[in-house]
Amino acid sequence: MITHLVNLFFPPICCGCNGLLLMNEKTICTSCRHAIPLTNHHLFAENEAAQKFYGRLPVEYAGAFCYFHKKGIVQQMIHKLKYKGEEEIGSLIGHWYCDDLRSIGDFDVIVPVPLHKKRLKQRGYNQVTTFGKALAEGLSIPYDDGLLTRNVYSKTQTKKNLLARSISGKSTFGISYSEEHHNKHYLLIDDVLTTGSTLEACGRTLLEIPGSRISVVCMAMSHS
């Protein structure tokens, strides 16, 4: 009864179009769900996400679930996830993506790109946590958000070019591991794949672990 009263005064709206959700819809409406531009990267090993890392990071696999277009549905969803506290969006995308990733191969541990502790305190959460935990549940593997740390706090990297981002990223991340972390296949995750510089820096840090292998997946990939 309480839920019905809450919905009466604060009706649930779609995270994509802001329209009212029907009784059988949750988080996103059926129309927006079908309008999400999927990448289908899991069908092609040599996909455009993997090409981002050629000569930069030896990834086993790289991919993103959908495309990120300016003023599109996915931008709206990621914005709400990242800045409006609507963390259920990450869970939703994670559960959708599991079916694709099961066909890729065996991963041992999911590791998120970390936030600096100051940024984490400001936002209150890492926007990829629910995404990662949904993947961990669906793939039946651990989620480890304590392996990597972000040592450098920066306001934004939006206006930096690729070279500047790469240089600044070299000492940005730290790692704390033991022998139990050796010889594992790490699935590194983030929200949106753009230049790949942050993921490259994280991946290189993970490769400091003896015998480690790296794959990368994101919720979305920037697309013109």
Side-chain angles (χ1 to χ4, degrees):
M1 184 176 180
I2 294 177
T3 301
H4 289 303
L5 287 174
V6 171
N7 289 342
L8 178 63
F9 292 101
F10 304 98
I13 62 173
C14 172
C15 64
C17 67
N18 294 323
L20 294 179
L21 293 174
L22 301 177
M23 290 293 292
N24 62 335
E25 295 175 335
K26 184 178 180 181
T27 307
I28 188 170
C29 70
T30 302
S31 178
C32 282
R33 171 65 181 94
H34 289 299
I36 290 175
L38 304 179
T39 67
N40 290 315
H41 284 163
H42 64 292
L43 300 178
F44 310 96
E46 303 297 319
N47 60 62
E48 59 199 319
Q51 292 172 9
K52 291 274 189 181
F53 300 99
Y54 283 166
R56 298 168 59 189
L57 185 69
V59 296
E60 301 277 316
Y61 170 79
F65 178 70
C66 56
Y67 288 115
F68 180 103
H69 297 118
K70 289 185 177 180
K71 299 183 180 180
I73 292 172
V74 176
Q75 183 188 42
Q76 173 87 340
M77 293 173 68
I78 297 295
H79 180 82
K80 288 186 174 183
L81 166 63
K82 195 169 182 177
Y83 301 110
K84 302 298 182 180
E86 298 188 27
E87 293 186 83
E88 69 276 8
I89 295 171
S91 296
L92 194 67
I93 296 175
H95 287 302
W96 288 338
Y97 205 5
C98 280
D99 290 336
D100 295 346
L101 295 179
R102 289 191 191 99
S103 65
I104 299 301
D106 295 328
F107 308 108
D108 295 312
V109 183
I110 293 174
V111 177
V113 169
L115 294 181
H116 187 272
K117 60 184 179 180
K118 183 176 179 180
R119 174 75 70 200
L120 186 60
K121 184 177 181 179
Q122 290 172 338
R123 186 172 295 161
Y125 61 96
N126 185 332
Q127 69 271 15
V128 298
T129 295
T130 52
F131 172 61
K133 288 184 175 179
L135 289 179
E137 179 184 351
L139 299 175
S140 300
I141 58 176
Y143 175 81
D144 189 342
D145 61 358
L147 188 59
L148 287 177
T149 56
R150 187 185 289 258
N151 300 324
V152 177
Y153 175 80
S154 59
K155 291 185 177 180
T156 180
Q157 288 194 348
T158 303
K159 296 182 180 180
K160 292 183 181 180
N161 60 32
L162 177 57
L163 179 60
R165 292 188 192 184
S166 298
I167 292 173
S168 65
K170 287 182 179 179
S171 59
T172 298
F173 300 98
I175 190 168
S176 178
Y177 64 89
S178 62
E179 190 173 347
E180 69 179 29
H181 294 101
H182 294 190
N183 303 308
K184 293 187 182 297
H185 186 179
Y186 292 95
L187 182 60
L188 181 63
I189 65 168
D190 203 1
D191 51 5
V192 181
L193 173 60
T194 51
T195 65
S197 297
T198 299
L199 287 159
E200 178 188 353
C202 283
R204 290 192 178 280
T205 305
L206 282 173
L207 287 174
E208 294 176 14
I209 303 173
S212 60
R213 295 180 293 135
I214 305 295
S215 286
V216 172
V217 298
C218 297
M219 285 183 266
M221 177 177 180
S222 181
H223 192 253
S224 58

